[in-house]
Amino acid sequence: MDIYYFSEKHYGNTMAWGKAREDVEQIFEHNNFRKLNESIISNKNSKKFDYFIKSMKSILKVKKALKKAKGETIFLQYPFMREKIMKKNFIKLMDQNKVILFIHDLTGFRYNDTDRLNEELRILKKASVIIVHNKYMQQKLSKYGITEDRMISLELFDYLLSTAEINNNIHLENGVAFAGNLDKSEFLESWVGLKRSYKINLFGKNTVTTFKGSKVSYLGSFSPEDIATNIIGGFGLVWDGNSIKGAKGDLGEYLKINNPHKLSLYIASGMPVMVWKESAVASFVIKHGIGFAISNLNDIDQIITNITEKEYKKMTGNVMKIRREVLAGAFTNNAIIKAIN
């Protein structure tokens, strides 16, 4: 039986397309799934006429490919990159085929947007099977009428790298690293201002903020491939929202059902983690002994002060076990096998 997948790519700037989506598509290819199409999505930074021509060509290609598919098993990654223009075509595709949706993000929940959530639920309910982040997202969606037997838990995003090279910058004395979009991480200003004994190393997009505080370093922005071998720290922090006293606000609340991709980055780098104790990933972190679940960023100082080298070494050993699975695409492979069957 042939298995298909729908391909969406970003013309001119592949970084904007997203590491997680690239990895999933690569795993589809490794499993010899057949590409239903090749959708080239133009980069808005290119010239307007060039953008228009390439957009029109990509839309025509997609519509032609979708019309041909009937009675097939097809993987789609969600959200769709061309949802506004192609929504009707995707819904028709789901009516005529066994469509398995691989969820990367649910912006209705992320931004507490009811109208957007209702639109997302309409699409999700059309799918035959949905690969969700974890059991908490599964439970959340079941309250909106999606039966749990149609959902498969991914558990953790994989993080494929072209090399299994070990990051030699992972040491307890290197403090805590945070990687991500620093511009939107509202808690950062309060965190770096805390009285503490450990270093903070920041990585990622930063266009508006100058971080003031002792033992704080902004170390630049790297590609998803390079950050795994260049990040410096003893622990990687998974946090969001506007408060250091629990991950609060809409983005903080979203952590209760979301698998942040930065967790997979930290694991791929070989680094133990610190996560919010109420986040969806906290149970995974504790179960596998790869870090700490904390309620407040003030807790970090005591943890780092009290942990022994022996305890830290054991924790990094546990991380390396999960790292092997993450680099091999094991979590995605397990989920897609369950979804097909």
Side-chain angles (χ1 to χ4, degrees), residues 172 175-176 191 194-200 215 235 274 294 296-307:
L172 181 59
V176 180
W191 180 38
L194 290 177
K195 185 179 180 181
R196 56 192 156 67
S197 60
Y198 60 90
K199 303 174 186 174
I200 293 177
K215 298 184 178 180
F235 289 92
M274 293 189 183
I294 60 177
N296 191 312
L297 294 184
N298 277 301
D299 299 340
I300 296 176
D301 203 61
Q302 186 175 3
I303 290 171
I304 291 181
T305 299
N306 293 338
I307 191 172

Side-chain angles (χ1 to χ4, degrees), residues 104-143:
H104 288 281
D105 196 11
L106 293 173
T107 55
F109 287 127
R110 178 188 284 272
Y111 299 111
N112 194 25
D113 184 333
T114 302
D115 291 339
R116 175 59 184 160
L117 176 60
N118 288 335
E119 193 57 49
E120 288 179 323
L121 290 170
R122 181 188 171 210
I123 293 170
L124 266 56
K125 288 176 180 179
K126 286 282 187 179
S128 301
V129 183
I130 307 169
I131 297 176
V132 298
H133 290 195
N134 50 60
K135 64 181 181 181
Y136 303 104
M137 183 176 283
Q138 191 172 8
Q139 292 166 3
K140 184 84 169 180
L141 288 172
S142 70
K143 295 178 181 178

Side-chain angles (χ1 to χ4, degrees), residues 52 111 124 138 143 180 191 221 226 238 264 291 313:
F52 174 78
Y111 299 111
L124 266 56
Q138 191 172 8
K143 295 178 181 178
W191 180 38
S221 182
D226 291 338
V238 180
S264 301
K313 186 176 181 180

Side-chain angles (χ1 to χ4, degrees), residues 246-263:
K248 298 178 181 178
D250 292 339
L251 295 175
E253 282 294 307
Y254 189 52
L255 284 177
K256 293 180 178 180
I257 63 168
N258 177 46
N259 285 357
H261 197 242
K262 62 169 56 69
L263 173 60

